[in-house]
Amino acid sequence: MAEEQIDTVRRIPANQIQEVAKALSGDLRLRILEALGERPKSISQLVEELGVAQPTVSINVQNLEQAGLISSSTSGGSREKICSRVLDALLFELPRRPGEGLQQIEEISMPIGLYTDCAIQPPCGLHGMEGAIGCPDDPRAFYMPERTKANLLWFSEAGHVEYVFANPLPGGVPLHKLLISAELCSEAAGYNQEWPSDITLSINGKQIGTWTCEGDYGDRKGKLSQNLQFGCTQYGMLTEWSVSETESCINGIKCSDMTLAELDLHYNRPIKVRLEVRADAENCRGLNLFGAGFGDHPQELKLRFVRGEC
């Protein structure tokens, strides 16, 4: 691009290269940037121009927003998001010293169907963008290869799903905080706004804390749940557990004295994350776990590592 054609240039520091590179690695995200090259457009205009489903466009727009490549706003009385491209060129600063290329926060997004262990009893099920996976209320569906395409999974009463994450921090890089977030709600027949369930998160077998979800939400369509039949679960609550050097919290409120030192974390060992409704829970009413395609939030199960100073 000739110098006189460049309207906006952003210098990308070494610790942000990976985030921006990930955003640019998808063909659809590049097509979105192309479509916004001359003027802002709404989500519905992007859907029509690109020929892609609205939830898929929304997810990729959010990825570009998080990387700082586009911005969005609502226009006038309309609630529809208007997207604009904010950059015409990028200048990357390559790392010069060990650790300089690491982001302050390293993030791993785990598809909800990629659990490595589960304990499921009916009623239960999995749902993908193309419909039900296996037969509803048949626990065998949770062991089918197609489970990896799930965007919603649920089970009633007691049970769990467990995931294995890699530790992205190299040896010798200190960890300041670990954060796990997911969109969740309880599980009732159809839905029930007042149906509390106690959902517990554990890491490497250590219980971090229990969050009580007040209901199974279906009073309105989820923002991304266009393919879900109305009259059943539609959305959940985005919930975050965090573990620091001094305590553990749920949505910013202290829930236990569990600390990072007690989790036995090592850079070359897997990290086991379990979401569970325990059989001895006061409110033992199952859970719904949402992936990037359903609910209100376009994300999978997300694990974030906040590194300390070397």
Side-chain angles (χ1 to χ4, degrees), residues 34-229:
E34 289 176 349
L36 299 175
E38 295 185 352
R39 62 181 179 86
K41 294 177 181 176
S42 67
I43 293 291
S44 60
Q45 287 174 320
L46 290 172
V47 167
E48 182 178 357
E49 182 172 336
L50 300 173
V52 179
Q54 183 269 331
T56 303
V57 171
S58 295
I59 291 169
N60 284 275
V61 162
Q62 185 182 58
N63 290 334
L64 291 168
E65 286 181 301
Q66 291 173 344
L69 299 176
I70 67 173
S71 64
S72 62
S73 62
T74 54
S75 178
S78 172
R79 297 178 62 186
E80 186 169 17
K81 181 182 286 189
I82 306 298
C83 305
S84 304
R85 200 174 87 174
V86 299
L87 300 172
D88 287 329
L90 298 170
L91 179 62
F92 292 96
E93 295 181 354
L94 298 179
R96 297 175 181 273
R97 295 179 295 276
E100 193 175 56
L102 294 173
Q103 301 178 76
Q104 183 63 28
I105 299 178
E106 296 286 336
E107 180 179 294
I108 299 177
S109 184
M110 180 69 72
I112 64 167
L114 282 181
Y115 47 83
T116 54
D117 183 46
C118 66
I120 306 294
Q121 297 294 327
C124 59
L126 303 105
H127 206 286
M129 299 302 292
E130 298 178 359
I133 297 172
C135 294
D137 300 332
D138 186 348
R140 293 178 299 175
F142 281 76
Y143 303 98
M144 296 171 59
E146 292 83 359
R147 67 185 173 83
T148 60
K149 299 179 181 179
N151 271 273
L152 174 64
L153 67 79
W154 68 93
F155 58 83
S156 300
E157 301 180 354
H160 73 259
V161 283
E162 185 172 276
Y163 301 82
V164 173
F165 288 82
N167 187 340
L169 298 183
V173 175
L175 179 63
H176 173 64
K177 185 179 289 188
L178 193 65
L179 305 106
I180 303 95
S181 63
E183 184 174 353
L184 296 155
C185 70
S186 61
E187 166 57 16
Y191 73 92
N192 189 331
Q193 300 291 115
E194 298 181 3
W195 191 257
S197 187
D198 298 334
I199 301 173
T200 298
L201 179 118
S202 300
I203 299 176
N204 287 348
K206 304 293 180 64
Q207 185 172 318
I208 305 305
T210 298
W211 171 67
T212 300
C213 180
E214 296 301 327
D216 179 2
Y217 304 114
D219 59 319
R220 61 166 174 82
K221 272 284 190 182
K223 296 176 182 178
L224 303 171
S225 298
Q226 303 307 308
N227 292 345
L228 289 179
Q229 180 180 357

